[in-house]
Amino acid sequence: MVKYQEPILDRTFAALADPTRRALLARLEGEESVSVSELARPFAMSLPAVMKHLDVLSDAGLVEKRKVGRTVSCSLNAEPMREAMEWLNRYRRFWSDNLDRLAAFLDAEVDNEKKKRRKEPPKRKPGRKK
């Protein structure tokens, strides 16, 4: 059996599977470096829980940690996501082709319905009896 997924790709997708980790990455996107305590502030979880999420991201290579004194800062490393995007892009053509065919089918159905309505005589509302 051919193995399509490399360990790096597996770790990247596993890290991105969690919404908290995706939120952490989004927070790091626009910043050069953010302290762990500042990253943890908006989340309703303990600092150790956030640090575990950051460890998963770090193990996947998505986050780089630096310690200066007692402060640990994190920065985004988007390089592992490039491999994930390349893997996903291989399937883009498949989905694009299928979605294009679905859109054409639905357009044809709408056109057929419009033609049917034009050919049918207008329906009259039953009158009231007095």
Side-chain angles (χ1 to χ4, degrees):
M1 182 172 188
V2 177
K3 185 176 181 183
Y4 289 103
Q5 296 182 357
E6 297 296 321
I8 293 170
L9 188 59
D10 292 344
R11 285 194 304 265
T12 301
F13 280 123
L16 294 173
D18 185 273
T20 300
R21 292 193 283 269
R22 290 192 306 270
L24 288 166
L25 290 175
R27 173 67 171 90
L28 290 170
E29 181 182 2
E31 304 287 332
E32 182 146 333
S33 183
V34 181
S35 72
V36 171
S37 59
E38 193 174 326
L39 281 172
R41 191 171 296 132
F43 296 98
M45 63 178 71
S46 67
L47 183 62
V50 171
M51 291 176 74
K52 286 182 182 181
H53 283 293
L54 289 169
D55 287 341
V56 172
L57 292 168
S58 180
D59 290 345
L62 294 165
V63 166
E64 295 175 354
K65 294 181 187 177
R66 281 184 241 35
K67 186 171 183 179
V68 178
R70 293 176 21 176
T71 304
V72 177
S73 295
C74 298
S75 59
L76 175 67
N77 176 26
E79 185 63 28
M81 284 189 258
R82 181 172 8 145
E83 185 178 342
M85 287 302 300
E86 288 171 3
W87 186 86
L88 289 169
N89 281 333
R90 286 190 270 170
Y91 299 95
R92 173 185 276 164
R93 194 179 110 217
F94 168 78
W95 286 110
S96 293
D97 290 349
N98 283 338
L99 290 174
D100 289 344
R101 283 195 299 273
L102 176 61
F105 172 78
L106 292 174
D107 287 343
E109 287 294 308
V110 168
D111 289 343
N112 287 338
E113 282 296 316
K114 286 180 182 176
K115 288 176 186 175
K116 284 181 186 176
R117 286 187 196 139
R118 282 186 222 139
K119 290 179 182 178
E120 292 176 4
K123 295 180 181 178
R124 296 184 183 190
K125 293 182 181 179
R128 287 183 151 173
K129 292 185 179 180
K130 289 187 182 180

